[in-house]
Amino acid sequence: MYASVVVEIGVKNVDKIFIYLVPERFQDDIQVGARVKVPFGHQVLEGFVLELKHDCEEQCEIKEIIDLVDVIPILNSEMIELGNVISSTTLCSKISAYQVMLPKALKASYKTNIKIKMDKYICLNMLEEDVICFIEQCRYEKQKELLKRLLQEKEIKISKVDSSIRSLIKKEIIRIEEREGYRYSYGSVYQDKRIVLNLEQQRVVDRVLEFQNSYRTFLLYGVTGSGKTEVYMNMIERVIQNGKTAIMLVPEISLTPQIVDRFVSRFGDDVAILHSGLSDGERYDEYRKIQERRVHIVVGARSAIFAPFDNLGIIIIDEEHSSTYKQDNHPRYHARDVAIFRGKYHQCPVILGSATPSLESMARAGNKVYELLMLTKRAGKGMLPVVHVVDMKEEIKGGHFIFSRLLDQKIKEKLEKNEQIILLLNRRGYSSICTCNACGEVIKCPNCDISLTYHKTSNMLRCHYCGYAVRKFEVCPKCHGHDLKDYGLGTQKLEEELLKRYSARVVRMDMDTTSRKGAHKKILLDFGEHKYDILVGTQMIAKGLDFPLVTLVGVINADASLNVPDFRSSERTFQLLCQVSGRAGRSEYPGEVVIQTYNNCHYSIQYAQNHDYFSFYREEMKIRKQLNYSPYYHIILIRILTHDYEISFQEASKIGDYLRANLSSTTFVLGPAMASVFRVDNVYRQQCIIKYKKDDQLKKVLLDIDNHYKNNGKVRVEIDIEPNHL
Ligand code: ADP
Ligand code: ZN
């Protein structure tokens, strides 16, 4: 018998699949999908068995498998098939597709040493009446107490064997039992409350559950606070009543602890939680709960989509527009694509939920690829907040740089009423964008309608899509002012300003204040208990928070995300403003939002002001169509990375030429151009962008390029299909 085994060697994206002989003694136990130890050169490696067969065409000498690692396969047939799909659609190696599905403890690797933790319990080892007799004669208080407890509780978990336990064991009155333990426990402080769904919500639940035994993808558009989470929990409840299982994805657990709290408080031990904050041991334990069918529900971030349930009944992706669902490094899979694969495999519904669906998803709903469901009203007592847009061009004339007069007045008002405030400081995506301090003008590429990036060394403004370059302007082309530069305001500075101006308790949430484990949760908990009046933060605070006392949300500089040189910057700005506005007025206290901007006429700000997703969608689609961006065109980013400045230009232009010569004439090739951040860690970064609708040559051309550079020690090429960022 022969086995083909895939192993991981080094970091290169190269599949090594080798044939090994299966010795007699393993033939009964070896299984496809299990790990085995194999010789490779002078080393011993671990790999996955992909296939077992009886003959082998290979001529050269075949080595023997050294040992079996698993008796039960780690990869089931669904995962093997899914790995093949991920590998062929994202151009990654099979081994990396398999590895990404697994917790570290189960990856094929010779180094991991994560053990199952065994918990010790004591229990009675003789009849109860004999124990009662013993208690009557026993002289030791401690032993008597322990036995009385055991009579009631039947078993007690212990951390160590002390002298009284040892002596009771010796007398054969009690015994120790060991069982697999789980390291992670999510302490929820939330009190579950049952809510009767309103008509809109009930309609959504009923419609989805018509598809309990067949595949369909739904796009659930629901305004912020419309009760999507409640809808999710209802659907999941019904699915698990029928014995099936559910996956619930959220963008990032640390940023959305309230959702997890609600799930844990309703479903208790039936939930496993998977996120990046877990230790390897904890992650392994949560994974095993799923494997061993101890839970029916997984709540987790992107990689939880691989939860090894074998009878999925529903998959839900909340905040489906979030870019965290696509992995930014190799393998570049998108959780939505995996969800749809699994939905088809298990014949179950997939729900993509958002208050601001991505254009791609809404376009698919328009084409009836997905079915659109809607929640148009806030579910509870709350109303959507009133949004004010303040033109900062006017404000700075009067010397109001950070706080506009309106925001200042509103802050005072709310503090007086003892209500809470959230202030969002939109972090600048890139610092090197040329803006006019007087009129807010941002210098853009005439060809691509995206912001130009300032390259200091050459004093040039460059478009990193098409390569257009122009000398840095000295005067603003719009207002002829001489104030073209960066203005920067950090969260720390903002916090200081607040403390100076108002007598308020202020808490800050950004990268600095949340680096410690559990810091997010603590800040949010404290804010929820009204230990602070104002929460200041970056984009981190925009998502999923539900604080009834928050009646004012301020956005300090809405423009920062608008000026990011990316064709999705309008969409991201609209999403951010809607999300953060959604934090205000979630209870009976009406909410208000103040957006400060230099671009008060920009459509994404105006539509966000009116909570008007569909008008935004139509407007933005027009632009995408005109400029041939997604969702009208598919986009592929090819990055060329090298330490050598000269080579970076040479190779990039070779690749550009190759693409132009070999792709169909209806496909657009942009570049090569320098990436917006050209040099990172002394690696020069060039890029080409491909825009296509349908191109039969494409797959072959990409594979050719990929293969050509695989073994090149100097130049690395990364191919990102449907990239998040350009
Ligand atoms: P979303 O996820 O759409 O932002 P949530 O599920 O968080 O909305 O609901 C927002 C608020 O409305 C929560 O406080 C929730 O308890 C409440 N809520 C949800 N559904 C109902 C309902 N049918 N009746 C009353 N309150 C509801
Ligand atoms: Zn351009």
Side-chain angles (χ1 to χ4, degrees):
M1 189 193 263
Y2 300 91
S4 67
V5 177
V6 61
V7 293
E8 182 170 78
I9 313 162
V11 286
K12 287 232 185 72
N13 180 24
V14 187
D15 263 325
K16 303 275 186 197
I17 299 176
F18 300 102
I19 306 288
Y20 290 93
L21 190 65
V22 183
E24 248 337 286
R25 62 186 189 283
F26 296 143
Q27 290 196 358
D28 286 342
D29 291 328
I30 191 166
Q31 294 210 48
V32 171
R35 288 172 298 180
V36 290
K37 285 180 187 163
V38 293
F40 186 82
H42 299 291
Q43 323 167 49
V44 177
L45 294 177
E46 269 184 23
F48 294 106
V49 177
L50 291 187
E51 204 186 343
L52 291 169
K53 48 192 175 185
H54 285 285
D55 12 66
C56 167
E57 308 85 57
E58 243 165 84
Q59 301 300 321
C60 56
E61 181 212 9
I62 295 183
K63 292 182 182 164
E64 282 191 2
I65 281 179
I66 297 173
D67 203 357
L68 307 183
V69 181
D70 311 299
V71 201
I72 302 166
I74 300 287
L75 299 170
N76 59 27
S77 52
E78 182 193 3
M79 291 160 99
I80 291 182
E81 197 180 322
L82 176 58
N84 292 343
V85 171
I86 290 177
S87 151
S88 87
T89 52
T90 72
L91 301 181
C92 72
S93 62
K94 280 188 185 157
I95 186 75
S96 65
Y98 296 136
Q99 300 277 52
V100 81
M101 298 180 196
L102 299 168
K104 196 164 179 193
L106 298 178
K107 289 186 204 288
S109 144
Y110 208 58
K111 284 176 230 106
T112 48
N113 187 23
I114 300 154
K115 297 233 165 61
I116 292 176
K117 172 176 163 263
M118 300 305 285
D119 285 337
K120 285 194 174 70
Y121 296 83
I122 48 173
C123 51
L124 295 176
N125 199 32
M126 53 168 57
L127 291 175
E128 288 194 4
E129 49 261 40
D130 298 336
V131 175
I132 293 169
C133 273
F134 177 83
I135 293 176
E136 279 163 9
Q137 300 152 11
C138 179
R139 289 179 292 129
Y140 301 103
E141 270 315 305
K142 245 183 126 184
Q143 295 188 8
K144 275 159 68 169
E145 227 163 75
L146 195 66
L147 290 173
K148 279 184 197 159
R149 248 186 90 193
L150 271 176
L151 281 170
Q152 282 203 333
E153 294 172 29
K154 304 295 171 218
E155 63 175 27
I156 297 171
K157 190 173 160 184
I158 54 165
S159 49
K160 66 176 193 329
V161 180
D162 61 17
S163 58
S164 34
I165 293 177
R166 199 173 307 119
S167 115
L168 287 172
I169 292 173
K170 228 166 159 184
K171 293 180 196 139
E172 294 186 355
I173 297 169
I174 64 170
R175 64 169 190 278
I176 286 193
E177 283 188 359
E178 286 202 338
R179 277 205 297 273
E180 284 187 18
Y182 301 104
R183 275 154 279 212
Y184 187 60
S185 87
Y186 187 92
S188 169
V189 290
Y190 194 83
Q191 197 63 45
D192 187 36
K193 50 178 193 286
R194 284 278 154 175
I195 289 172
V196 181
L197 298 184
N198 63 34
L199 211 64
E200 264 192 338
Q201 289 172 313
Q202 194 59 52
R203 224 180 275 144
V204 168
V205 172
D206 291 344
R207 178 62 184 157
V208 170
L209 292 178
E210 278 175 40
F211 291 84
Q212 281 206 60
N213 295 307
S214 56
Y215 160 75
R216 173 161 297 203
T217 296
F218 296 92
L219 177 60
L220 172 59
Y221 162 77
V223 299
T224 53
S226 57
K228 292 187 288 298
T229 313
E230 207 54 50
V231 164
Y232 300 150
M233 291 200 290
N234 261 269
M235 296 192 288
I236 289 177
E237 194 161 34
R238 291 270 293 279
V239 163
I240 63 179
Q241 272 164 10
N242 293 332
K244 293 199 178 175
T245 51
I247 296 177
M248 168 82 204
L249 292 192
V250 295
E252 230 175 305
I253 294 244
S254 61
L255 302 188
T256 47
Q258 287 181 323
I259 270 210
V260 184
D261 276 0
R262 282 165 72 179
F263 269 79
V264 172
S265 68
R266 179 151 314 171
F267 298 108
D269 288 346
D270 211 4
V271 184
I273 294 165
L274 287 174
H275 64 87
S276 56
L278 300 184
S279 72
D280 291 332
E282 289 171 336
R283 174 167 278 269
Y284 180 35
D285 292 352
E286 294 300 289
Y287 194 87
R288 268 177 22 254
K289 286 185 196 163
I290 303 162
Q291 257 182 340
E292 294 163 1
R293 300 170 166 231
R294 287 172 197 274
V295 294
H296 289 90
I297 305 168
V298 164
V299 179
R302 178 179 61 233
S303 67
I305 195 61
F306 296 116
F309 284 128
D310 55 9
N311 59 346
L312 273 172
I314 195 165
I315 303 172
I316 298 170
I317 303 186
D318 190 30
E319 312 273 6
E320 71 89 30
H321 61 276
S322 169
S323 61
T324 59
Y325 288 126
K326 180 161 189 273
Q327 180 150 301
D328 249 348
N329 48 33
H330 198 82
R332 296 188 164 79
Y333 72 92
H334 198 301
R336 185 187 52 225
D337 300 333
V338 176
I340 290 172
F341 172 94
R342 299 199 73 185
K344 288 179 180 161
Y345 193 94
H346 292 269
Q347 289 295 301
C348 74
V350 174
I351 291 98
L352 312 174
S354 176
T356 51
S358 64
L359 261 67
E360 286 80 1
S361 292
M362 190 50 83
R364 278 184 207 139
N367 295 335
K368 308 272 182 247
V369 180
Y370 302 159
E371 180 175 330
L372 182 63
L373 301 171
M374 304 223 264
L375 296 172
T376 56
K377 299 188 289 287
R378 282 214 162 164
K381 301 186 197 89
M383 302 269 288
L384 284 171
V386 176
V387 182
H388 312 274
V389 174
V390 176
D391 178 5
M392 286 307 282
K393 296 193 291 291
E394 291 303 316
E395 293 295 314
I396 58 171
K397 285 181 194 160
H400 310 286
F401 287 99
I402 302 180
F403 301 100
S404 61
R405 285 162 295 172
L406 183 68
L407 183 58
D408 176 61
Q409 176 205 327
K410 294 283 171 200
I411 290 176
K412 286 180 183 148
E413 220 172 81
K414 305 298 173 191
L415 287 176
E416 217 148 89
K417 286 203 242 168
N418 210 15
E419 295 172 351
Q420 287 183 297
I421 300 162
I422 291 179
L423 289 182
L424 173 78
L425 183 73
N426 207 346
R427 187 170 43 95
R428 303 180 67 82
Y430 296 82
S431 57
S432 46
I433 290 154
C434 193
T435 58
C436 173
N437 256 356
C439 74
E441 177 76 358
V442 175
I443 316 295
K444 289 194 168 174
C445 172
N447 310 322
C448 304
D449 196 35
I450 58 137
S451 319
L452 294 176
T453 309
Y454 178 52
H455 289 253
K456 206 169 187 172
T457 40
S458 55
N459 198 34
M460 300 287 270
L461 297 172
R462 290 176 192 277
C463 170
H464 69 105
Y465 281 24
C466 72
Y468 172 86
V470 60
R471 234 184 155 64
K472 190 189 168 225
F473 302 163
E474 294 306 322
V475 289
C476 170
K478 196 164 159 211
C479 76
H480 308 291
H482 286 261
D483 207 6
L484 277 179
K485 54 177 169 250
D486 264 353
Y487 70 99
L489 172 67
T491 37
Q492 197 172 351
K493 179 87 192 306
L494 184 60
E495 184 188 15
E496 286 165 18
E497 281 297 316
L498 283 166
L499 290 170
K500 237 190 279 171
R501 292 171 74 113
Y502 311 101
S503 72
R505 298 163 300 169
V506 181
V507 63
R508 171 160 64 98
M509 186 151 143
D510 58 16
M511 291 295 234
D512 296 338
T513 61
T514 55
S515 48
R516 258 178 320 108
K517 199 174 171 175
H520 281 106
K521 219 179 156 179
K522 174 94 175 66
I523 294 175
L524 296 177
L525 215 62
D526 287 348
F527 188 65
E529 289 172 5
H530 205 168
K531 290 183 184 160
Y532 298 99
D533 306 302
I534 305 179
L535 171 65
V536 192
T538 53
Q539 272 87 331
M540 276 182 195
I541 61 171
K543 282 182 204 145
L545 304 182
D546 191 357
F547 296 113
L549 268 183
V550 171
T551 54
L552 175 64
V553 166
V555 181
I556 303 294
N557 53 343
D559 311 277
S561 54
L562 214 47
N563 298 336
V564 170
D566 194 298
F567 75 89
R568 288 198 179 90
S569 61
S570 302
E571 184 182 4
R572 296 237 161 85
T573 303
F574 177 80
Q575 287 164 348
L576 179 69
L577 294 178
C578 288
Q579 295 292 336
V580 71
S581 301
R583 302 312 112 215
R586 291 176 74 87
S587 62
E588 59 268 37
Y589 310 108
E592 286 182 272
V593 179
V594 176
I595 297 176
Q596 301 190 154
T597 172
Y598 289 92
N599 296 282
N600 52 319
C601 297
H602 195 284
Y603 62 96
S604 59
I605 290 179
Q606 299 212 323
Y607 290 130
Q609 175 173 25
N610 299 321
H611 313 282
D612 189 354
Y613 172 82
F614 286 98
S615 297
F616 171 78
Y617 171 76
R618 280 189 292 271
E619 183 90 27
E620 181 69 12
M621 285 294 273
K622 270 191 245 158
I623 295 168
R624 301 285 179 92
K625 188 170 186 182
Q626 258 168 24
L627 296 168
N628 304 329
Y629 288 134
S630 166
Y632 290 97
Y633 274 75
H634 296 293
I635 293 182
I636 294 173
L637 175 70
I638 301 185
R639 277 246 157 96
I640 300 104
L641 307 158
T642 171
H643 282 285
D644 189 311
Y645 182 84
E646 298 290 330
I647 290 179
S648 90
F649 285 91
Q650 285 163 15
E651 294 302 315
S653 90
K654 262 196 234 163
I655 287 178
D657 292 346
Y658 187 76
L659 291 172
R660 274 182 253 273
N662 290 286
L663 291 177
S664 104
S665 57
T666 54
T667 296
F668 299 101
V669 177
L670 303 187
M674 291 147 86
S676 69
V677 188
F678 177 46
R679 194 176 62 168
V680 177
D681 207 8
N682 280 322
V683 172
Y684 297 96
R685 305 170 355 138
Q686 302 269 359
Q687 61 191 36
C688 290
I689 294 166
I690 301 171
K691 299 200 271 190
Y692 74 100
K693 277 200 161 146
K694 188 175 175 304
D695 193 326
D696 296 332
Q697 297 305 310
L698 185 68
K699 187 79 189 257
K700 184 184 171 302
V701 169
L702 293 178
L703 280 175
D704 283 350
I705 293 177
D706 195 41
N707 285 329
H708 184 78
Y709 286 96
K710 251 175 193 167
N711 294 314
N712 190 321
K714 271 203 167 135
V715 182
R716 198 152 55 85
V717 172
E718 289 176 356
I719 299 175
D720 193 348
I721 294 167
E722 309 290 355
N724 267 334
H725 306 280
L726 287 179

